[in-house]
Amino acid sequence: MTSSVEPISLPQRRASNDTEIDREALARLLVEIARNVDPDNHALYEGIPAADHQLETLRQLLVGGEISELSRVTHLLDEPEQLAAAVGNVLPDATARASHEQLGEALAPAVERAAQRSIQKNPHTLTDILYPVFLPAIRKSIGEKIDQTFQSLNESLRHIFTWHGLKWRFEAWRTGTSFSEVVLNHSLVYRVEHVFLISRSSGLLIAHVTAENATSEDPQLISSMLSAIQDFVRDSFNEKEQSGLDTIRFGELRLWSEVGPFATLVAVIRGNPPEELHEVIRDALLRIHDESSQALERFDGDTSQLPGVETQLQTCVELQHTDSKEGFPWLVVTAALLILIAAGGWFFLSWQSGQRWQAYVSRLAAQPGIVVAEQKVRGGEFYIAGLRDPLAADPQSLLSGTEVDLARVHASWQFYQSLEPEFVLKRLTASLAPPESVRLSVVNGRIVAEGEATTAWINRARAAAQQLSAGGPVFDIAGVRDVSPEERWQAYVARLQTQPGIIVAEQNVRDGQFYIAGLRDPLAADPQSLLSGTEVDPARVHASWQFYQSLEPMFVLKRLTASLYPPHTVRLSIVKDRIVAEGEAPDTWIDRARAAARQLSAGGPEFDISKVRDVSPDARAAEHWQYYVSRLEAQPGIIVAQQTARGGHFYISGLRDPLAVDPQALLSGTQVDPARVHSQWQFYQSLDPKFVVKRLTASLSPPKSVRLSIIQGRIVVVGEAPAGWIGRAQAAAEQLSADGVVLDVSQLRELNLAELNHLREAIQTTDIFFSSGRVVPGPEQTPALDRLADQLKEFAENARKAGVTARFMLTGHSDTTGRETANASISAARAETVRALLNKRGVAPELLLVRGAGTFEPAVPENENSRTGNSTNRRVSVTVNLE
């Protein structure tokens, strides 16, 4: 935008030779002009009369426009905001037209001061500006330096003990370079076979140089695939635009990439190159940019403007290094191994001896009753001193098995009495001599005595407990009972009274003799045998027992078992004071058991034989038949009307649905003889919901989008179906309602196939377009990709509800530029890229199929003079298939 203010220019008059000028009229004219030009100074000219109207008319005719413009300019200069706006409107155009050298010299001081002040005020601003530029370069440089360091360390270690290593170390000393650099120069083997220079903007190949005897496929195809891989990775993982392919390794081949402002240099290297080769490749790329930056920026496939590029790339291809021949350093390795073995043997023996001694000391320190006060090793001898309880283990005996030389051990032990509970227990056992009925043990650090003993021994134990040293374990004798003869007798009597089948009627003690009398069942325990272990003298016991039959269930059970001799199929047991018989037996044994149950004494336990089944042949056959009939009655679709057993044969009749289970098949496993079964079944249609569902499925043939289920005795139909099928389902529901079966079709929805076809047409008319030579669509295709992904997901969901499966074929196309093989590869890569982008937007990958059509299916006929046709053919189309 330019300003509407035009410069004021006064008309140039030629000087007149007439000297007769009306000076007064001229003065008035000038005063009048001054009044109009500067109205603020009107008061200065109040005494001067105004010019006449003719002069006023002449003034307007001559300088009226100039006065108006001058007034506007003066007003503009007096208003800073309007002046700034006017200057801002013309400043960009003026800057563009100004000389670059003059403009730079004029702006340099102001820009430098502004930048310096901004950095001093907020240094983070400059850091944020330079961070995205310098950080990747610094990170890459550090990574290469680390790789170079590890590579140098690896090669140096590999050649450090070889003859070549010694020779190279001398060379490093002679030349003043580091040993690692000399090793790398002689040991690394590599060869640069191919160098590609690729345009960053279009992915087109600028130049390609091949080493002698190196083979490869079409360079243009390789360049396109490298660009496609780089673009695909960047778009898939949201990498920054300035990021690029760095290193690819495939077997012996390495691809090293260096990225420049307008081009990328890719070197294909065979072997193990040094990390310094990065600098060589990077320097070549910088020289190419310095010499041909403008041609690289505007590169469109024409290499005539880049004549010296291949010469620069040829220097990279000539880089190689051959392997140096070297032998294995057997002498150096042998000498080093002998020295290491001798030193290792000495150190191992010393370490082993020390470990054995420390193991012995640790074993001693873990022994109760032994306190190690001091231990040391001096001059190959071992010294140890401390305290030892006489009851503790002998330290000399512990040396066996440790492989410590006994002659080199010097021990000094002082005897003491340990307060460990186990040693105090041994001393108490030796001094008190407890009887067999008393047991001494260590419980939680305390010595506990339990059992029975006489009063005298208990008194001795109390005295010993009081004499124990302070700080020693507690001696607890509270668990020892005083067992005088009378107390032992009472314990024996109490034991007899708890025995089943024994009743103590009378017992007393008189003149040191014990008397007892009562009743005893012959099956009860022998009272005489119970005397053992009570320490009661049997010779002083006088017993009188009368035999009787106890009604205890256990004794009754023994007598029944002895009298009835139950078969092995019958089990007698006691359940809640009742004797219960369970199992199978013939009717003769059951009759004997019933008689024995009636003969049991009044007040005795009950004898229950109701759980014993009669296993006679006829009874067993009738039982099996009843099991078969109950099994039939439980089957849906079978109604048993009548069943009888007569003359060893079984008769049954009723109704059976054809969809029900076969009654004959149910006979297996029931042990009923099929030849003795006579059945008569009438067919009918059961109204059981699962049979009705089977008949409806067979007659209506519902589509996959419809599901029939049984909910609380009702048949419910859910899903989408065509209108004709819904009408048939409603007619079937009306027919079933008369029989009392509910067929609910209220949740059926009519399938709208017209909407599905409309969406199919919209999908198939959508194309994703690409730039020439690119396999990743530009950002302008993002809305189309988003819309296509939503349509594909909607179509797949609607098709699934309709009972069909949708598949989408992504077909890649290309124009006729370049070779046919490259076009076929690019078209397939474009289809794969669109598939990945759609998958990233939520489209299931199994629904997407891809193929590359190359140039064989153009959207419009190819025309060499039509760039529009080529752009339309660089696309990916979509075809919808239903299965």
Side-chain angles (χ1 to χ4, degrees):
M1 179 179 180
T2 57
S3 176
S4 60
V5 179
E6 298 179 356
I8 301 175
S9 61
L10 297 177
Q12 300 293 330
R13 293 175 175 264
R14 300 179 65 180
S16 174
N17 294 328
D18 188 2
T19 57
E20 295 180 1
I21 299 175
D22 189 350
R23 297 181 182 276
E24 182 179 356
L26 179 60
R28 289 182 178 180
L29 177 60
L30 294 175
V31 169
E32 191 65 23
I33 291 173
R35 284 174 177 168
N36 287 277
V37 170
D38 192 0
D40 295 338
N41 297 330
H42 191 277
L44 299 175
Y45 311 103
E46 290 183 355
I48 303 173
D52 57 13
H53 64 90
Q54 293 178 347
L55 292 176
E56 180 68 20
T57 301
L58 178 62
R59 180 177 62 82
Q60 292 294 331
L61 291 175
L62 294 178
V63 295
E66 287 78 358
I67 293 174
S68 177
E69 288 297 325
L70 184 61
S71 177
R72 190 172 66 83
V73 171
T74 304
H75 181 70
L76 181 64
L77 295 175
D78 291 340
E79 294 293 335
E81 294 182 358
Q82 296 183 8
L83 179 61
V87 172
N89 292 332
V90 300
L91 183 59
D93 188 36
T95 303
R97 296 183 180 182
S99 173
H100 294 291
E101 297 180 356
Q102 295 178 355
L103 182 63
E105 293 178 357
L107 294 179
V111 172
E112 290 176 357
R113 288 194 298 272
Q116 183 179 7
R117 185 168 301 174
S118 174
I119 294 171
Q120 291 176 351
K121 184 177 180 181
N122 188 4
H124 294 290
T125 302
L126 181 62
T127 303
D128 295 339
I129 294 173
L130 297 180
Y131 177 81
V133 178
F134 286 121
L135 182 62
I138 295 172
R139 184 170 55 209
K140 183 174 182 180
S141 176
I142 293 174
E144 292 177 358
K145 193 63 179 177
I146 292 174
D147 292 341
Q148 178 182 351
T149 301
F150 279 106
Q151 186 181 40
S152 173
L153 177 61
N154 183 36
E155 294 298 328
S156 299
L157 292 176
R158 191 162 67 91
H159 296 89
I160 191 170
F161 291 117
T162 64
W163 295 118
H164 284 287
L166 297 176
K167 182 176 66 175
W168 293 342
R169 188 172 294 280
F170 175 75
E171 181 181 346
W173 171 77
R174 181 175 54 81
T175 58
T177 59
S178 64
F179 175 66
S180 59
E181 292 181 6
V182 175
V183 171
L184 286 179
N185 290 334
H186 286 282
S187 61
L188 294 184
V189 180
Y190 69 94
R191 179 192 181 195
V192 181
E193 295 190 350
H194 301 274
V195 177
F196 297 87
L197 186 63
I198 304 170
S199 174
R200 289 192 61 188
S201 60
S202 63
L204 295 176
L205 179 64
I206 299 174
H208 168 237
V209 178
T210 305
E212 186 178 357
N213 297 329
T215 59
S216 68
E217 296 295 332
D218 186 359
Q220 182 64 46
L221 178 59
I222 297 175
S223 172
S224 300
M225 293 310 295
L226 288 175
S227 300
I229 292 172
Q230 180 170 280
D231 294 342
F232 178 76
V233 173
R234 184 185 296 118
D235 293 341
S236 299
F237 299 100
N238 296 325
E239 284 295 315
K240 298 180 179 178
E241 183 65 30
Q242 60 268 24
S243 301
L245 187 66
D246 187 12
T247 302
I248 297 178
R249 182 170 182 175
F250 186 79
E252 293 185 355
L253 291 180
R254 300 171 187 252
L255 273 70
W256 282 5
S257 174
E258 293 294 338
V259 181
F262 308 115
T264 301
L265 194 150
V266 179
V268 180
I269 309 168
R270 184 179 299 276
N272 186 20
E275 292 297 326
E276 291 87 347
L277 189 58
H278 278 289
E279 295 293 334
V280 178
I281 298 174
R282 192 178 299 118
D283 291 342
L285 183 62
L286 291 177
R287 287 196 301 272
I288 292 173
H289 276 81
D290 290 341
E291 296 176 1
S292 310
S293 61
Q294 294 182 356
L296 291 174
E297 183 179 7
R298 296 192 299 269
F299 181 75
D300 57 357
D302 184 10
T303 59
S304 60
Q305 298 181 4
L306 299 166
V309 171
E310 292 189 358
T311 304
Q312 295 286 351
L313 297 180
Q314 191 65 36
T315 60
C316 297
V317 174
E318 294 173 354
L319 296 173
Q320 62 179 347
H321 197 282
T322 58
D323 192 8
S324 61
K325 304 299 181 180
E326 61 179 41
F328 191 78
W330 295 106
L331 183 60
V332 177
V333 172
T334 303
L337 286 177
L338 290 176
I339 295 173
L340 289 175
I341 290 172
W346 184 81
F347 280 112
F348 175 75
L349 292 176
S350 300
W351 173 83
Q352 189 180 46
S353 177
Q355 289 295 110
R356 291 170 180 172
W357 171 252
Q358 291 301 325
Y360 169 67
V361 172
S362 301
R363 187 177 178 186
L364 274 181
Q367 292 293 322
I370 293 180
V371 179
V372 178
E374 183 182 4
Q375 66 88 15
K376 59 184 177 180
V377 181
R378 186 173 66 248
E381 302 291 320
F382 305 103
Y383 299 89
I384 190 168
L387 304 175
R388 170 176 170 258
D389 191 288
L391 297 176
D394 184 6
Q396 199 77 6
S397 64
L398 294 176
L399 275 173
S400 61
T402 60
E403 299 184 7
V404 177
D405 187 3
L406 181 62
R408 297 167 61 193
V409 177
H410 308 278
S412 174
W413 300 104
Q414 299 294 328
F415 286 112
Y416 83 112
Q417 281 194 351
S418 173
L419 294 180
E420 291 282 340
E422 58 183 286
F423 294 107
V424 176
L425 175 62
K426 289 180 180 180
R427 293 187 179 92
L428 285 174
T429 302
S431 61
L432 292 178
E436 295 181 357
S437 59
V438 174
R439 181 172 60 88
L440 301 182
S441 60
V442 178
V443 180
N444 296 330
R446 299 162 59 249
I447 300 175
V448 178
E450 296 176 303
E452 299 175 346
T454 60
T455 304
W457 190 90
I458 293 175
N459 293 334
R460 288 172 53 214
R462 287 196 181 99
Q466 294 171 357
Q467 292 174 2
L468 284 180
S469 304
V474 176
F475 184 26
D476 183 3
I477 59 173
V480 180
R481 299 192 312 275
D482 192 352
V483 286
S484 59
E486 290 77 9
E487 291 181 356
R488 294 173 182 171
W489 171 252
Q490 291 302 325
Y492 169 67
V493 172
R495 186 178 180 186
L496 278 178
Q497 290 175 339
T498 60
Q499 293 294 320
I502 295 180
I503 299 175
V504 178
E506 182 183 4
Q507 66 86 19
N508 55 42
V509 181
R510 188 171 61 251
D511 297 332
Q513 302 293 316
F514 306 104
Y515 300 90
I516 190 168
L519 303 176
R520 170 177 170 258
D521 191 289
L523 298 176
D526 184 8
Q528 197 73 12
S529 65
L530 295 177
L531 275 172
S532 61
T534 61
E535 298 186 5
V536 176
D537 187 4
R540 300 168 61 190
V541 177
H542 307 278
S544 175
W545 299 104
Q546 300 294 325
F547 288 110
Y548 84 112
Q549 281 194 351
S550 173
L551 295 180
E552 290 281 342
M554 58 184 298
F555 295 110
V556 176
L557 175 61
K558 290 180 179 180
R559 292 188 179 92
L560 284 174
T561 303
S563 62
L564 292 178
Y565 295 106
H568 67 278
T569 57
V570 174
R571 182 172 60 89
L572 302 182
S573 60
I574 298 174
V575 180
K576 296 181 179 180
D577 295 332
R578 295 165 60 248
I579 300 174
V580 179
E582 297 176 296
E584 299 177 344
D587 50 2
T588 55
W589 189 89
I590 294 176
D591 293 338
R592 288 173 53 213
R594 288 195 182 100
R598 290 192 298 268
Q599 292 174 3
L600 284 179
S601 303
E606 180 185 353
F607 184 25
D608 183 5
I609 60 173
S610 61
K611 295 184 179 180
V612 180
R613 290 182 284 112
D614 189 351
V615 290
S616 58
D618 293 339
R620 185 182 294 272
E623 182 180 353
H624 293 164
W625 171 252
Q626 291 301 323
Y627 169 71
Y628 169 66
V629 171
S630 62
R631 190 176 177 186
L632 274 179
E633 290 174 341
Q635 293 295 323
I638 294 181
I639 300 175
V640 178
Q642 186 180 7
Q643 64 88 15
T644 58
R646 187 171 63 251
H649 288 261
F650 306 101
Y651 300 88
I652 189 168
S653 61
L655 302 177
R656 170 175 170 256
D657 191 291
L659 297 176
V661 68
D662 185 7
Q664 198 72 12
L666 294 176
L667 276 172
S668 62
T670 61
Q671 300 183 9
V672 176
D673 186 5
R676 301 168 62 189
V677 177
H678 309 278
S679 58
Q680 186 177 2
W681 301 102
Q682 300 293 329
F683 286 112
Y684 84 111
Q685 283 193 349
S686 174
L687 295 179
D688 190 281
K690 58 182 176 180
F691 293 111
V692 177
V693 168
K694 289 182 180 180
R695 293 189 178 90
L696 286 174
T697 304
S699 60
L700 294 178
S701 298
K704 294 182 180 179
S705 58
V706 173
R707 181 170 55 88
L708 279 71
S709 58
I710 300 172
I711 301 176
Q712 296 180 353
R714 299 163 58 249
I715 302 174
V716 180
V717 186
V718 181
E720 295 182 346
W725 192 91
I726 294 177
R728 291 168 53 206
Q730 290 173 346
E734 294 176 357
Q735 293 176 0
L736 289 174
S737 63
D739 297 329
V741 179
V742 178
L743 177 60
D744 185 2
V745 295
S746 60
Q747 300 185 37
L748 268 177
R749 298 190 307 275
E750 184 176 352
L751 184 62
N752 188 1
L753 295 177
E755 181 180 354
L756 198 62
N757 292 331
H758 176 73
L759 186 57
R760 180 178 186 175
E761 182 180 355
I763 291 173
Q764 295 189 151
T765 56
T766 302
D767 290 328
I768 306 300
F769 297 98
F770 296 77
S771 299
S772 178
R774 301 298 297 272
V775 297
V776 177
E780 71 278 358
Q781 297 297 315
T782 300
L785 284 168
D786 295 339
R787 182 173 61 257
L788 178 59
D790 294 338
Q791 291 174 344
L792 294 180
K793 289 186 285 187
E794 181 182 358
F795 189 90
E797 179 65 21
N798 293 340
R800 186 187 63 79
K801 292 179 180 178
V804 295
T805 302
R807 304 284 184 190
F808 308 101
M809 176 63 72
L810 305 177
T811 304
H813 306 271
S814 66
D815 54 24
T816 57
T817 303
R819 293 175 57 186
E820 188 59 43
T821 55
N823 291 333
S825 300
I826 264 186
S827 65
R830 287 170 177 166
E832 287 288 354
T833 301
V834 172
R835 179 185 183 182
L837 294 175
L838 292 176
N839 185 19
K840 185 177 181 181
R841 286 165 170 79
V843 182
E846 62 270 12
L847 301 181
L848 300 175
L849 307 174
V850 297
R851 72 183 185 95
T855 61
F856 295 106
E857 299 175 10
V860 297
E862 290 288 349
N863 186 350
E864 295 181 357
N865 298 324
S866 174
R867 299 185 62 185
T868 303
N870 290 341
S871 175
T872 304
N873 289 334
R874 293 192 299 270
R875 75 192 197 284
V876 170
S877 61
V878 186
T879 305
V880 180
N881 299 316
L882 295 177
E883 300 176 358

